[in-house]
Structures are given as C-alpha cells and as structure tokens.
Amino acid sequence: RDRERYLEAALVWYHRHQHTIPTNFTTECVFGYDFERTYFQETASTQFEWACGRSTGVQNILRASMLGNLFGCVIYGALADRVGRRRVFILLAVKVAVLG
C-alpha cells in the first residue's frame, strides 16, 4: 500500500512540475513523518516540527547565529578594548545566563 501511495504522489508531483528541474529536494510529507527519539526526546526540530517542507527553520537559525557572531565579535571586541575584557566577559556571562 505504501508503494502505491508513493507512486501516486510521485505522479502528482510530476504532473504539477513537469517543466521544472528540481533544485530543492525537500517536499511536503507524503506519508507523514516521525522523529527518531532514541537518544533525544525533544529537540528544536521536534518542538517546531521542522520536517519535510517546513525544514527551512534550521537554515534560518544558522543564518541568525552567523549574523549574531559577526556583529557580536565586532561590537563586543571594540567594547572590550574600551572598558576592559573582564567587564565584557562578565557582561556576556550574565547575558548568556539570563537569555540562554
């Protein structure tokens, strides 16, 4: 039965997109999804249901992290040169403890 559902979904996709070359192979879930929970019960992917067509959340988190690193290094590096590295380290430790 699963093979028939897969072939049916593949034919539907083909008829909708027969003149396009796929560049992103992430599709909507044809059969639903189930996360592997052997080692972790809850992750960001399971909590926000980043699977199939909704998997762009992972890339957005990575982009935000890299952007934060870029600006953080510039801003906190310059601040450390002005007020001292120990004070900036304590400030960042408190920030991580509160926001982390």
Side-chain angles (χ1 to χ4, degrees):
R1 178 74 182 130
D2 285 341
R3 181 180 167 87
E4 292 171 15
R5 289 174 58 195
Y6 173 77
L7 291 174
E8 182 182 321
L11 286 172
V12 167
W13 184 92
Y14 174 75
H15 288 300
R16 286 184 189 167
H17 307 285
Q18 51 185 305
H19 299 295
T20 61
I21 298 173
T23 57
N24 182 359
F25 293 98
T26 302
T27 63
E28 293 301 319
C29 294
V30 177
F31 306 111
Y33 55 89
D34 189 21
F35 291 102
E36 173 65 42
R37 296 179 189 268
T38 303
Y39 301 106
F40 301 101
Q41 291 301 313
E42 190 77 22
T43 64
S45 295
T46 60
Q47 185 176 5
F48 298 110
E49 298 181 352
W50 289 334
C52 302
R54 298 180 61 194
S55 64
T56 58
V58 176
Q59 290 90 358
N60 291 339
I61 295 293
L62 182 61
R63 286 183 191 115
S65 174
M66 292 299 161
L67 196 61
N69 285 337
L70 175 67
F71 288 116
C73 288
V74 172
I75 292 169
Y76 290 116
L79 186 63
D81 290 340
R82 289 181 184 256
V83 299
R85 299 201 181 280
R86 179 179 288 161
R87 288 182 181 161
V88 172
F89 176 77
I90 293 170
L91 170 74
L92 290 175
V94 169
K95 180 184 130 192
V96 167
V98 171
L99 299 177

Coordinates of all heavy atoms in Angstrom, one line a residue, residues 66-85 87-89 91-92 95:
M66 N 25.0 33.1 12.7 CA 26.2 33.6 12.0 C 26.2 35.1 12.0 O 27.2 35.8 12.2 CB 26.3 33.1 10.6 CG 26.6 31.6 10.5 SD 28.2 31.3 11.3 CE 28.1 29.6 11.6
L67 N 25.0 35.7 11.7 CA 24.9 37.2 11.8 C 25.2 37.7 13.2 O 25.8 38.7 13.3 CB 23.5 37.6 11.3 CG 23.2 39.0 10.9 CD1 24.1 39.4 9.7 CD2 21.8 39.2 10.6
G68 N 24.7 37.0 14.2 CA 24.9 37.4 15.6 C 26.4 37.3 15.9 O 27.0 38.2 16.6
N69 N 27.1 36.3 15.4 CA 28.5 36.1 15.6 C 29.3 37.3 15.0 O 30.2 37.9 15.6 CB 29.0 34.8 15.1 CG 28.7 33.7 15.9 OD1 28.4 33.8 17.1 ND2 28.6 32.5 15.3
L70 N 28.9 37.6 13.7 CA 29.6 38.7 13.0 C 29.4 40.0 13.8 O 30.5 40.7 14.1 CB 28.9 38.9 11.6 CG 29.5 40.0 10.8 CD1 30.9 39.8 10.5 CD2 28.6 40.2 9.6
F71 N 28.2 40.4 14.2 CA 28.0 41.7 14.9 C 28.6 41.6 16.3 O 29.1 42.6 16.8 CB 26.6 42.1 14.9 CG 26.1 42.5 13.5 CD1 25.1 41.8 12.8 CD2 26.7 43.6 12.9 CE1 24.7 42.2 11.6 CE2 26.2 44.1 11.6 CZ 25.2 43.4 11.0
G72 N 28.4 40.5 16.9 CA 28.8 40.3 18.3 C 30.4 40.5 18.4 O 30.9 41.1 19.4
C73 N 31.1 39.9 17.5 CA 32.5 40.0 17.6 C 33.0 41.4 17.4 O 33.9 41.8 18.1 CB 33.2 39.1 16.5 SG 33.0 37.3 16.9
V74 N 32.4 42.1 16.5 CA 32.8 43.5 16.2 C 32.4 44.4 17.4 O 33.3 45.1 17.9 CB 32.2 44.0 14.9 CG1 32.4 45.5 14.7 CG2 32.7 43.2 13.7
I75 N 31.2 44.3 17.9 CA 30.7 45.2 18.9 C 31.4 44.9 20.3 O 31.9 45.8 20.9 CB 29.2 45.1 19.1 CG1 28.5 45.7 17.8 CG2 28.7 45.8 20.3 CD1 27.1 45.4 17.7
Y76 N 31.4 43.6 20.7 CA 32.0 43.3 22.0 C 33.5 43.3 22.0 O 34.1 43.6 23.0 CB 31.4 41.9 22.5 CG 30.0 41.9 22.8 CD1 29.1 41.2 22.1 CD2 29.5 42.8 23.8 CE1 27.7 41.2 22.4 CE2 28.2 42.8 24.2 CZ 27.3 42.1 23.4 OH 26.0 42.1 23.8
G77 N 34.1 43.1 20.8 CA 35.5 43.3 20.8 C 35.9 44.7 21.0 O 36.9 45.0 21.7
A78 N 35.2 45.6 20.3 CA 35.5 47.1 20.5 C 35.2 47.5 21.9 O 35.9 48.3 22.5 CB 34.7 47.9 19.5
L79 N 34.1 47.0 22.4 CA 33.7 47.4 23.8 C 34.8 46.9 24.8 O 35.1 47.6 25.8 CB 32.3 46.8 24.2 CG 31.7 47.2 25.5 CD1 31.5 48.7 25.5 CD2 30.5 46.4 25.7
A80 N 35.3 45.7 24.6 CA 36.3 45.1 25.5 C 37.6 46.0 25.4 O 38.3 46.1 26.4 CB 36.7 43.7 25.1
D81 N 37.9 46.5 24.3 CA 39.1 47.4 24.2 C 38.9 48.7 24.9 O 39.9 49.3 25.4 CB 39.4 47.7 22.7 CG 39.9 46.5 21.9 OD1 40.4 45.6 22.6 OD2 39.9 46.5 20.7
R82 N 37.7 49.2 25.0 CA 37.4 50.4 25.7 C 37.2 50.2 27.3 O 37.8 51.0 28.0 CB 36.1 51.1 25.2 CG 36.3 51.6 23.8 CD 34.9 52.3 23.4 NE 35.0 52.7 22.1 CZ 35.2 54.0 21.7 NH1 35.2 54.9 22.7 NH2 35.3 54.4 20.5
V83 N 36.5 49.3 27.7 CA 36.2 49.1 29.1 C 36.9 48.0 29.8 O 36.8 47.9 31.0 CB 34.6 49.0 29.4 CG1 33.9 50.2 28.8 CG2 34.1 47.7 28.8
G84 N 37.5 47.1 29.1 CA 38.3 46.0 29.6 C 37.6 44.7 29.3 O 36.4 44.6 29.3
R85 N 38.5 43.7 29.2 CA 38.0 42.4 28.8 C 37.2 41.7 29.9 O 36.3 41.0 29.7 CB 39.2 41.5 28.3 CG 39.8 42.2 27.1 CD 40.6 41.2 26.3 NE 41.3 41.8 25.2 CZ 40.7 42.1 24.0 NH1 39.4 41.9 23.9 NH2 41.4 42.7 23.1
R87 N 35.3 43.0 32.3 CA 34.0 43.6 32.4 C 33.1 43.0 31.3 O 31.9 42.7 31.5 CB 34.0 45.1 32.4 CG 34.5 45.7 33.6 CD 34.5 47.2 33.5 NE 35.0 47.8 34.8 CZ 35.4 49.0 34.9 NH1 35.4 49.8 33.8 NH2 35.9 49.4 36.0
V88 N 33.6 43.0 30.0 CA 32.8 42.5 28.9 C 32.5 41.0 29.1 O 31.4 40.5 28.8 CB 33.5 42.8 27.6 CG1 32.8 42.1 26.4 CG2 33.6 44.3 27.3
F89 N 33.5 40.3 29.6 CA 33.3 38.8 29.9 C 32.2 38.6 30.9 O 31.3 37.8 30.7 CB 34.6 38.2 30.4 CG 34.5 36.8 30.7 CD1 34.4 35.8 29.7 CD2 34.3 36.4 32.0 CE1 34.2 34.5 30.1 CE2 34.2 35.0 32.4 CZ 34.1 34.1 31.4
L91 N 29.8 40.7 31.6 CA 28.5 41.2 30.9 C 28.0 40.0 30.0 O 26.8 39.7 30.1 CB 28.8 42.4 30.1 CG 27.7 42.8 29.2 CD1 26.5 43.5 30.0 CD2 28.2 43.8 28.1
L92 N 28.9 39.4 29.2 CA 28.4 38.4 28.3 C 28.0 37.1 29.1 O 27.0 36.4 28.7 CB 29.5 38.0 27.3 CG 29.7 39.1 26.3 CD1 30.9 38.8 25.4 CD2 28.5 39.4 25.5
K95 N 24.6 37.8 30.4 CA 23.7 37.8 29.2 C 23.3 36.4 28.8 O 22.2 36.0 28.6 CB 24.3 38.5 28.0 CG 23.4 38.5 26.8 CD 24.2 39.2 25.6 CE 24.0 38.3 24.5 NZ 24.8 38.5 23.4

